[in-house]
Amino acid sequence: MDHLPIFLDVKGKKVLVDGGNTPAARRVERALSAGAHVHVFCPKMSDEFRQLRAHPRVTHHLRAPEPADFEDCVVAYGASEIEARDKRLYEMAKDARVLVNVADVTKYCDFITPSVVDRSPLVVAISSGGNAPVIARILRARIEVMLPAAYGRLAAFVGGFRDRVMQKLKSTESRRHFWENTIEGQVGDHFLAGDEEKAGKHLLEDLDAAATGAESAQIGEVFLVGAGPGDPDLLTFRALHIMQRADVVLFDRLVSDEIMTLVRRDAKRVYVGKMPQQHTMVQEDISEMMVELAKQGKRVLRLKGGDPFIFGRGGEELELLAKHDIPFQVIPGITAASGCASYAGIPLTHRDHAQSCVLITAHGKDGVLDLDWERLVRPDQTVVVYMGLSSVGILSGQFIKHGLDANTPAAVVDNGTRANQRVVSGRLGNIADRVEQSGIKGPALIIIGSVVSMRDDLKWFADHDKTTHQMSLQAQDGL
Ligand code: SAH
């Protein structure tokens, strides 16, 4: 993060705005809505000031600001659009140690003015760190749509019960659970449906129930969530929702760092990743840990790369939970095969190329490649191999030996869907050499079949991979 986001209390305090055009009007408006006394400096106010100039907290000065004007001032905005005047304003503000922001002149800014969604008392501020204000504005528009207007009122309503809840529920965790269940449960439903009275009644009943000890006896829940292949944009809404409500998260090596930043900040993080041939934590320990945590009443998030039920041992992890009657939910994710194929321009099926697609793993139970070759070398079929990078030579040799043409197109997608995605393509006969030359380290997926040639037909060049992916990464800005 390049900037520290804070919400400044300017109620009853002095804010200075230098300028009389549109940018100045926007700043005056914002400062007024936060309760400031605004001093505007300009010879003439534009039409934009129509509603503002008569405001009781606005003082209009016809002259330019002077050092004495910065006394007791908390924030100064420069919007005169005159270079020399902006510079002077910045210097005076610095001498007086007042935070200053000059519109569109980064060198004269102590802070950035974010794009704002105002559902007071709920406020969302978005910044792109000055890199792409347009993206921040687009995001703001999306959030505007997402956040029902009544959310602001809901926040105020909830605020009215805060002290009572503080008194009755002593631990931070129990309060957080209470509020989450309240807001996302019946109380929130009633309130947003316009029935404030019923919402209040429910809230007090829930509070009594929580305070009479029911909460400590409560059993937790385990959420087995697929995090997709790496690009955070490929998470499901449900995955994100659960990630933001978890108490503890157990995560794998395959879960990307960008995705981990979306997990609730104060959730406890436990790395249970496995490198090939190196097991940080054995499967039984992971399952036992989940049982233990759930018994303590925790909301346990088991976050796995791709989809938990596709070569993810998700089923195995659930068996112990079922035995102990721990409630659990499974949330699917985009598996590496579909993520990598889409981001590499390879349709896994195509009427002219492949009518079926088989997903296999080259990592047998005891490290032995024991595959049903007859079924794998059928024509008109795409084969996708998980965990096959280290055996790509043996694999391609076996495919050829069992009847596939050495000219069959093949590709290896390394770090698929991530910013560092690389695609090595070739044919069964030379793919192993090309992989070796490329030096890729995985995680990587092998795709074999004539659909791989579609990449060229679609003119899916390396640059294209990059731009499409970078676009989707940029969309993260400010979130
Ligand atoms: N449950 C996961 C798969 C786990 S097995 C899923 O549904 O995707 C681990 C294998 O998945 C890796 O060895 C690799 O073959 C593949 N894989 C996972 N993420 C990948 C990525 N971002 N790019 C390429 N391959 C990936």
Side-chain angles (χ1 to χ4, degrees), residues 10-15 17 24-40 45 48-59 77 118:
V10 294
K11 220 166 279 112
K13 296 176 190 158
K14 180 170 162 191
V15 167
V17 178
R26 292 282 90 82
R27 282 150 180 81
V28 172
E29 230 165 41
R30 181 81 56 86
L32 284 176
S33 62
H37 285 285
V38 188
H39 289 250
V40 186
M45 285 174 171
E48 300 263 358
F49 280 83
R50 232 176 347 205
Q51 314 278 345
L52 308 172
R53 59 169 72 100
H55 195 286
R57 279 187 277 115
V58 169
T59 311
Y77 288 105
D118 188 359

mmCIF file of all heavy atoms in Angstrom, residues 10-15 17 24-40 45 48-59 77 118:
data_model
loop_
_atom_site.group_PDB
_atom_site.id
_atom_site.type_symbol
_atom_site.label_atom_id
_atom_site.label_comp_id
_atom_site.label_asym_id
_atom_site.label_seq_id
_atom_site.Cartn_x
_atom_site.Cartn_y
_atom_site.Cartn_z
ATOM 1 N N VAL A 10 -13.532 16.026 10.867
ATOM 2 C CA VAL A 10 -13.383 17.471 10.635
ATOM 3 C C VAL A 10 -14.608 18.245 11.134
ATOM 4 O O VAL A 10 -14.769 19.417 10.822
ATOM 5 C CB VAL A 10 -13.159 17.785 9.126
ATOM 6 C CG1 VAL A 10 -11.826 17.211 8.655
ATOM 7 C CG2 VAL A 10 -14.292 17.262 8.267
ATOM 8 N N LYS A 11 -15.436 17.535 11.917
ATOM 9 C CA LYS A 11 -16.661 18.185 12.391
ATOM 10 C C LYS A 11 -16.347 19.462 13.178
ATOM 11 O O LYS A 11 -15.534 19.441 14.104
ATOM 12 C CB LYS A 11 -17.428 17.207 13.284
ATOM 13 C CG LYS A 11 -18.920 17.272 13.059
ATOM 14 C CD LYS A 11 -19.643 16.089 13.685
ATOM 15 C CE LYS A 11 -19.569 14.853 12.814
ATOM 16 N NZ LYS A 11 -18.787 13.770 13.346
ATOM 17 N N GLY A 12 -16.944 20.572 12.797
ATOM 18 C CA GLY A 12 -16.738 21.836 13.512
ATOM 19 C C GLY A 12 -15.362 22.433 13.294
ATOM 20 O O GLY A 12 -15.023 23.449 13.901
ATOM 21 N N LYS A 13 -14.550 21.809 12.448
ATOM 22 C CA LYS A 13 -13.188 22.318 12.233
ATOM 23 C C LYS A 13 -13.095 23.052 10.903
ATOM 24 O O LYS A 13 -13.987 22.963 10.067
ATOM 25 C CB LYS A 13 -12.189 21.162 12.288
ATOM 26 C CG LYS A 13 -12.155 20.529 13.662
ATOM 27 C CD LYS A 13 -11.246 19.341 13.719
ATOM 28 C CE LYS A 13 -11.432 18.609 15.048
ATOM 29 N NZ LYS A 13 -10.999 17.227 14.969
ATOM 30 N N LYS A 14 -11.965 23.729 10.743
ATOM 31 C CA LYS A 14 -11.822 24.596 9.574
ATOM 32 C C LYS A 14 -11.141 23.869 8.403
ATOM 33 O O LYS A 14 -10.079 23.269 8.562
ATOM 34 C CB LYS A 14 -10.984 25.812 9.987
ATOM 35 C CG LYS A 14 -10.737 26.823 8.908
ATOM 36 C CD LYS A 14 -10.116 28.053 9.576
ATOM 37 C CE LYS A 14 -9.431 28.977 8.618
ATOM 38 N NZ LYS A 14 -8.648 29.997 9.334
ATOM 39 N N VAL A 15 -11.783 23.944 7.247
ATOM 40 C CA VAL A 15 -11.199 23.403 6.025
ATOM 41 C C VAL A 15 -11.111 24.537 5.018
ATOM 42 O O VAL A 15 -12.055 25.324 4.879
ATOM 43 C CB VAL A 15 -12.057 22.237 5.464
ATOM 44 C CG1 VAL A 15 -11.634 21.876 4.046
ATOM 45 C CG2 VAL A 15 -11.959 21.006 6.364
ATOM 46 N N VAL A 17 -10.580 25.867 1.098
ATOM 47 C CA VAL A 17 -10.649 25.472 -0.316
ATOM 48 C C VAL A 17 -10.291 26.691 -1.170
ATOM 49 O O VAL A 17 -10.948 27.731 -1.083
ATOM 50 C CB VAL A 17 -12.050 24.948 -0.705
ATOM 51 C CG1 VAL A 17 -12.094 24.604 -2.204
ATOM 52 C CG2 VAL A 17 -12.424 23.720 0.123
ATOM 53 N N ALA A 24 -13.291 22.722 -7.100
ATOM 54 C CA ALA A 24 -13.395 23.364 -5.787
ATOM 55 C C ALA A 24 -14.770 23.061 -5.181
ATOM 56 O O ALA A 24 -14.880 22.710 -4.002
ATOM 57 C CB ALA A 24 -13.192 24.863 -5.924
ATOM 58 N N ALA A 25 -15.811 23.159 -6.011
ATOM 59 C CA ALA A 25 -17.174 22.907 -5.506
ATOM 60 C C ALA A 25 -17.293 21.495 -4.941
ATOM 61 O O ALA A 25 -17.891 21.281 -3.883
ATOM 62 C CB ALA A 25 -18.179 23.125 -6.632
ATOM 63 N N ARG A 26 -16.687 20.510 -5.665
ATOM 64 C CA ARG A 26 -16.754 19.111 -5.186
ATOM 65 C C ARG A 26 -16.133 18.982 -3.798
ATOM 66 O O ARG A 26 -16.637 18.293 -2.921
ATOM 67 C CB ARG A 26 -15.987 18.184 -6.134
ATOM 68 C CG ARG A 26 -16.564 18.001 -7.512
ATOM 69 C CD ARG A 26 -17.740 17.028 -7.503
ATOM 70 N NE ARG A 26 -18.988 17.746 -7.284
ATOM 71 C CZ ARG A 26 -19.660 18.367 -8.251
ATOM 72 N NH1 ARG A 26 -19.253 18.308 -9.497
ATOM 73 N NH2 ARG A 26 -20.773 19.011 -7.990
ATOM 74 N N ARG A 27 -15.005 19.691 -3.607
ATOM 75 C CA ARG A 27 -14.292 19.587 -2.331
ATOM 76 C C ARG A 27 -15.083 20.291 -1.211
ATOM 77 O O ARG A 27 -15.114 19.816 -0.082
ATOM 78 C CB ARG A 27 -12.876 20.143 -2.477
ATOM 79 C CG ARG A 27 -11.984 19.112 -3.185
ATOM 80 C CD ARG A 27 -10.868 19.704 -3.992
ATOM 81 N NE ARG A 27 -10.075 18.663 -4.634
ATOM 82 C CZ ARG A 27 -10.410 18.035 -5.758
ATOM 83 N NH1 ARG A 27 -11.541 18.318 -6.373
ATOM 84 N NH2 ARG A 27 -9.643 17.083 -6.258
ATOM 85 N N VAL A 28 -15.688 21.394 -1.560
ATOM 86 C CA VAL A 28 -16.504 22.109 -0.567
ATOM 87 C C VAL A 28 -17.658 21.205 -0.131
ATOM 88 O O VAL A 28 -17.928 21.035 1.066
ATOM 89 C CB VAL A 28 -17.043 23.435 -1.155
ATOM 90 C CG1 VAL A 28 -18.042 24.085 -0.208
ATOM 91 C CG2 VAL A 28 -15.888 24.391 -1.453
ATOM 92 N N GLU A 29 -18.290 20.606 -1.094
ATOM 93 C CA GLU A 29 -19.416 19.714 -0.828
ATOM 94 C C GLU A 29 -19.022 18.591 0.131
ATOM 95 O O GLU A 29 -19.694 18.338 1.132
ATOM 96 C CB GLU A 29 -19.801 19.056 -2.159
ATOM 97 C CG GLU A 29 -21.240 19.113 -2.527
ATOM 98 C CD GLU A 29 -21.381 18.764 -4.003
ATOM 99 O OE1 GLU A 29 -20.703 17.833 -4.488
ATOM 100 O OE2 GLU A 29 -22.150 19.449 -4.670
ATOM 101 N N ARG A 30 -17.905 17.946 -0.200
ATOM 102 C CA ARG A 30 -17.432 16.822 0.605
ATOM 103 C C ARG A 30 -17.136 17.272 2.036
ATOM 104 O O ARG A 30 -17.525 16.607 2.998
ATOM 105 C CB ARG A 30 -16.194 16.248 -0.092
ATOM 106 C CG ARG A 30 -15.522 15.075 0.529
ATOM 107 C CD ARG A 30 -16.135 13.727 0.248
ATOM 108 N NE ARG A 30 -16.324 13.271 -1.106
ATOM 109 C CZ ARG A 30 -15.412 12.647 -1.850
ATOM 110 N NH1 ARG A 30 -14.209 12.437 -1.387
ATOM 111 N NH2 ARG A 30 -15.704 12.233 -3.050
ATOM 112 N N ALA A 31 -16.421 18.401 2.162
ATOM 113 C CA ALA A 31 -16.050 18.885 3.495
ATOM 114 C C ALA A 31 -17.300 19.270 4.295
ATOM 115 O O ALA A 31 -17.401 18.995 5.494
ATOM 116 C CB ALA A 31 -15.100 20.076 3.380
ATOM 117 N N LEU A 32 -18.281 19.867 3.618
ATOM 118 C CA LEU A 32 -19.520 20.240 4.317
ATOM 119 C C LEU A 32 -20.249 19.001 4.802
ATOM 120 O O LEU A 32 -20.749 18.952 5.924
ATOM 121 C CB LEU A 32 -20.443 21.034 3.382
ATOM 122 C CG LEU A 32 -20.079 22.499 3.122
ATOM 123 C CD1 LEU A 32 -21.042 23.106 2.098
ATOM 124 C CD2 LEU A 32 -20.109 23.321 4.425
ATOM 125 N N SER A 33 -20.275 17.963 3.952
ATOM 126 C CA SER A 33 -21.042 16.778 4.373
ATOM 127 C C SER A 33 -20.362 16.089 5.544
ATOM 128 O O SER A 33 -20.990 15.324 6.261
ATOM 129 C CB SER A 33 -21.292 15.824 3.203
ATOM 130 O OG SER A 33 -20.073 15.362 2.725
ATOM 131 N N ALA A 34 -19.077 16.351 5.771
ATOM 132 C CA ALA A 34 -18.409 15.789 6.947
ATOM 133 C C ALA A 34 -18.451 16.772 8.123
ATOM 134 O O ALA A 34 -17.773 16.567 9.126
ATOM 135 C CB ALA A 34 -16.968 15.430 6.599
ATOM 136 N N GLY A 35 -19.200 17.853 7.972
ATOM 137 C CA GLY A 35 -19.437 18.749 9.111
ATOM 138 C C GLY A 35 -18.439 19.870 9.299
ATOM 139 O O GLY A 35 -18.446 20.552 10.331
ATOM 140 N N ALA A 36 -17.567 20.115 8.319
ATOM 141 C CA ALA A 36 -16.532 21.149 8.495
ATOM 142 C C ALA A 36 -17.077 22.551 8.260
ATOM 143 O O ALA A 36 -18.131 22.731 7.635
ATOM 144 C CB ALA A 36 -15.392 20.881 7.509
ATOM 145 N N HIS A 37 -16.325 23.559 8.774
ATOM 146 C CA HIS A 37 -16.553 24.955 8.394
ATOM 147 C C HIS A 37 -15.625 25.213 7.217
ATOM 148 O O HIS A 37 -14.413 25.032 7.341
ATOM 149 C CB HIS A 37 -16.176 25.902 9.544
ATOM 150 C CG HIS A 37 -17.201 25.887 10.633
ATOM 151 N ND1 HIS A 37 -18.414 26.526 10.497
ATOM 152 C CD2 HIS A 37 -17.210 25.296 11.851
ATOM 153 C CE1 HIS A 37 -19.122 26.329 11.601
ATOM 154 N NE2 HIS A 37 -18.422 25.574 12.432
ATOM 155 N N VAL A 38 -16.176 25.614 6.089
ATOM 156 C CA VAL A 38 -15.344 25.708 4.892
ATOM 157 C C VAL A 38 -15.112 27.163 4.502
ATOM 158 O O VAL A 38 -16.064 27.937 4.354
ATOM 159 C CB VAL A 38 -16.004 24.945 3.719
ATOM 160 C CG1 VAL A 38 -15.037 24.884 2.538
ATOM 161 C CG2 VAL A 38 -16.403 23.546 4.140
ATOM 162 N N HIS A 39 -13.839 27.491 4.347
ATOM 163 C CA HIS A 39 -13.474 28.836 3.884
ATOM 164 C C HIS A 39 -13.065 28.732 2.426
ATOM 165 O O HIS A 39 -12.119 28.031 2.098
ATOM 166 C CB HIS A 39 -12.321 29.389 4.731
ATOM 167 C CG HIS A 39 -12.766 29.730 6.114
ATOM 168 N ND1 HIS A 39 -12.873 31.025 6.565
ATOM 169 C CD2 HIS A 39 -13.194 28.935 7.141
ATOM 170 C CE1 HIS A 39 -13.328 31.019 7.809
ATOM 171 N NE2 HIS A 39 -13.528 29.753 8.181
ATOM 172 N N VAL A 40 -13.824 29.418 1.558
ATOM 173 C CA VAL A 40 -13.572 29.340 0.120
ATOM 174 C C VAL A 40 -12.892 30.629 -0.331
ATOM 175 O O VAL A 40 -13.349 31.724 0.012
ATOM 176 C CB VAL A 40 -14.889 29.154 -0.666
ATOM 177 C CG1 VAL A 40 -14.605 28.930 -2.143
ATOM 178 C CG2 VAL A 40 -15.694 27.991 -0.099
ATOM 179 N N MET A 45 -17.552 32.659 -7.579
ATOM 180 C CA MET A 45 -17.952 31.248 -7.491
ATOM 181 C C MET A 45 -18.743 30.861 -8.733
ATOM 182 O O MET A 45 -19.627 31.600 -9.159
ATOM 183 C CB MET A 45 -18.831 31.025 -6.266
ATOM 184 C CG MET A 45 -18.080 31.024 -4.949
ATOM 185 S SD MET A 45 -19.261 30.917 -3.600
ATOM 186 C CE MET A 45 -18.183 30.646 -2.214
ATOM 187 N N GLU A 48 -21.762 26.002 -10.031
ATOM 188 C CA GLU A 48 -21.740 24.784 -9.194
ATOM 189 C C GLU A 48 -21.950 25.116 -7.720
ATOM 190 O O GLU A 48 -22.286 24.260 -6.922
ATOM 191 C CB GLU A 48 -20.386 24.085 -9.327
ATOM 192 C CG GLU A 48 -20.051 23.646 -10.715
ATOM 193 C CD GLU A 48 -20.380 22.191 -10.923
ATOM 194 O OE1 GLU A 48 -20.830 21.537 -9.969
ATOM 195 O OE2 GLU A 48 -20.201 21.738 -12.060
ATOM 196 N N PHE A 49 -21.659 26.359 -7.354
ATOM 197 C CA PHE A 49 -21.749 26.756 -5.953
ATOM 198 C C PHE A 49 -23.154 27.215 -5.552
ATOM 199 O O PHE A 49 -23.364 27.611 -4.419
ATOM 200 C CB PHE A 49 -20.748 27.886 -5.650
ATOM 201 C CG PHE A 49 -19.332 27.406 -5.448
ATOM 202 C CD1 PHE A 49 -18.503 27.172 -6.527
ATOM 203 C CD2 PHE A 49 -18.835 27.186 -4.171
ATOM 204 C CE1 PHE A 49 -17.202 26.731 -6.350
ATOM 205 C CE2 PHE A 49 -17.524 26.746 -3.984
ATOM 206 C CZ PHE A 49 -16.712 26.513 -5.081
ATOM 207 N N ARG A 50 -24.051 27.140 -6.529
ATOM 208 C CA ARG A 50 -25.397 27.666 -6.279
ATOM 209 C C ARG A 50 -25.967 27.232 -4.933
ATOM 210 O O ARG A 50 -26.402 28.045 -4.137
ATOM 211 C CB ARG A 50 -26.338 27.201 -7.390
ATOM 212 C CG ARG A 50 -27.124 28.338 -8.029
ATOM 213 C CD ARG A 50 -27.925 27.796 -9.160
ATOM 214 N NE ARG A 50 -27.424 26.439 -9.428
ATOM 215 C CZ ARG A 50 -27.509 25.793 -10.570
ATOM 216 N NH1 ARG A 50 -28.096 26.341 -11.567
ATOM 217 N NH2 ARG A 50 -27.042 24.580 -10.742
ATOM 218 N N GLN A 51 -25.920 25.914 -4.674
ATOM 219 C CA GLN A 51 -26.484 25.397 -3.426
ATOM 220 C C GLN A 51 -25.563 25.662 -2.243
ATOM 221 O O GLN A 51 -25.984 25.593 -1.106
ATOM 222 C CB GLN A 51 -26.683 23.872 -3.509
ATOM 223 C CG GLN A 51 -27.328 23.373 -4.764
ATOM 224 C CD GLN A 51 -28.837 23.517 -4.657
ATOM 225 O OE1 GLN A 51 -29.379 23.718 -3.572
ATOM 226 N NE2 GLN A 51 -29.515 23.450 -5.798
ATOM 227 N N LEU A 52 -24.295 25.878 -2.535
ATOM 228 C CA LEU A 52 -23.311 25.898 -1.453
ATOM 229 C C LEU A 52 -23.059 27.271 -0.857
ATOM 230 O O LEU A 52 -22.789 27.390 0.329
ATOM 231 C CB LEU A 52 -21.966 25.337 -1.964
ATOM 232 C CG LEU A 52 -22.019 23.973 -2.660
ATOM 233 C CD1 LEU A 52 -20.669 23.631 -3.289
ATOM 234 C CD2 LEU A 52 -22.380 22.880 -1.638
ATOM 235 N N ARG A 53 -23.178 28.307 -1.720
ATOM 236 C CA ARG A 53 -22.689 29.610 -1.241
ATOM 237 C C ARG A 53 -23.499 30.151 -0.066
ATOM 238 O O ARG A 53 -22.940 30.852 0.777
ATOM 239 C CB ARG A 53 -22.599 30.636 -2.379
ATOM 240 C CG ARG A 53 -23.886 30.933 -3.118
ATOM 241 C CD ARG A 53 -23.697 32.163 -4.019
ATOM 242 N NE ARG A 53 -22.854 31.878 -5.187
ATOM 243 C CZ ARG A 53 -23.336 31.623 -6.415
ATOM 244 N NH1 ARG A 53 -24.639 31.618 -6.625
ATOM 245 N NH2 ARG A 53 -22.541 31.393 -7.412
ATOM 246 N N ALA A 54 -24.765 29.759 0.041
ATOM 247 C CA ALA A 54 -25.579 30.281 1.143
ATOM 248 C C ALA A 54 -25.507 29.391 2.390
ATOM 249 O O ALA A 54 -26.154 29.670 3.398
ATOM 250 C CB ALA A 54 -27.025 30.391 0.680
ATOM 251 N N HIS A 55 -24.731 28.317 2.306
ATOM 252 C CA HIS A 55 -24.662 27.376 3.428
ATOM 253 C C HIS A 55 -24.097 28.074 4.665
ATOM 254 O O HIS A 55 -23.110 28.813 4.571
ATOM 255 C CB HIS A 55 -23.769 26.180 3.042
ATOM 256 C CG HIS A 55 -23.921 25.018 3.964
ATOM 257 N ND1 HIS A 55 -23.384 25.021 5.237
ATOM 258 C CD2 HIS A 55 -24.562 23.837 3.820
ATOM 259 C CE1 HIS A 55 -23.675 23.870 5.824
ATOM 260 N NE2 HIS A 55 -24.394 23.133 4.985
ATOM 261 N N PRO A 56 -24.700 27.847 5.839
ATOM 262 C CA PRO A 56 -24.231 28.561 7.040
ATOM 263 C C PRO A 56 -22.783 28.239 7.414
ATOM 264 O O PRO A 56 -22.154 29.021 8.131
ATOM 265 C CB PRO A 56 -25.199 28.095 8.136
ATOM 266 C CG PRO A 56 -25.898 26.895 7.594
ATOM 267 C CD PRO A 56 -25.885 27.030 6.109
ATOM 268 N N ARG A 57 -22.252 27.110 6.944
ATOM 269 C CA ARG A 57 -20.855 26.789 7.308
ATOM 270 C C ARG A 57 -19.860 27.169 6.199
ATOM 271 O O ARG A 57 -18.727 26.718 6.213
ATOM 272 C CB ARG A 57 -20.746 25.315 7.686
ATOM 273 C CG ARG A 57 -21.204 25.051 9.123
ATOM 274 C CD ARG A 57 -20.951 23.633 9.585
ATOM 275 N NE ARG A 57 -22.009 22.717 9.150
ATOM 276 C CZ ARG A 57 -21.828 21.726 8.303
ATOM 277 N NH1 ARG A 57 -20.654 21.512 7.789
ATOM 278 N NH2 ARG A 57 -22.838 20.953 7.953
ATOM 279 N N VAL A 58 -20.310 27.976 5.240
ATOM 280 C CA VAL A 58 -19.386 28.426 4.180
ATOM 281 C C VAL A 58 -19.076 29.911 4.360
ATOM 282 O O VAL A 58 -19.978 30.725 4.545
ATOM 283 C CB VAL A 58 -19.996 28.189 2.775
ATOM 284 C CG1 VAL A 58 -19.162 28.886 1.701
ATOM 285 C CG2 VAL A 58 -20.092 26.702 2.480
ATOM 286 N N THR A 59 -17.773 30.239 4.332
ATOM 287 C CA THR A 59 -17.363 31.650 4.368
ATOM 288 C C THR A 59 -16.620 31.932 3.062
ATOM 289 O O THR A 59 -15.689 31.199 2.716
ATOM 290 C CB THR A 59 -16.399 31.909 5.555
ATOM 291 O OG1 THR A 59 -16.979 31.336 6.713
ATOM 292 C CG2 THR A 59 -16.156 33.394 5.746
ATOM 293 N N TYR A 77 -7.394 22.450 0.571
ATOM 294 C CA TYR A 77 -7.513 21.943 -0.800
ATOM 295 C C TYR A 77 -7.135 23.047 -1.772
ATOM 296 O O TYR A 77 -7.656 24.171 -1.685
ATOM 297 C CB TYR A 77 -8.954 21.542 -1.119
ATOM 298 C CG TYR A 77 -9.430 20.287 -0.440
ATOM 299 C CD1 TYR A 77 -10.308 20.359 0.638
ATOM 300 C CD2 TYR A 77 -9.032 19.033 -0.893
ATOM 301 C CE1 TYR A 77 -10.775 19.214 1.258
ATOM 302 C CE2 TYR A 77 -9.489 17.874 -0.270
ATOM 303 C CZ TYR A 77 -10.361 17.966 0.792
ATOM 304 O OH TYR A 77 -10.817 16.839 1.393
ATOM 305 N N ASP A 118 -21.274 6.968 -0.330
ATOM 306 C CA ASP A 118 -21.748 7.492 0.943
ATOM 307 C C ASP A 118 -23.082 6.872 1.330
ATOM 308 O O ASP A 118 -24.106 7.139 0.716
ATOM 309 C CB ASP A 118 -21.882 9.021 0.816
ATOM 310 C CG ASP A 118 -22.185 9.673 2.160
ATOM 311 O OD1 ASP A 118 -22.310 8.932 3.155
ATOM 312 O OD2 ASP A 118 -22.288 10.912 2.204
#
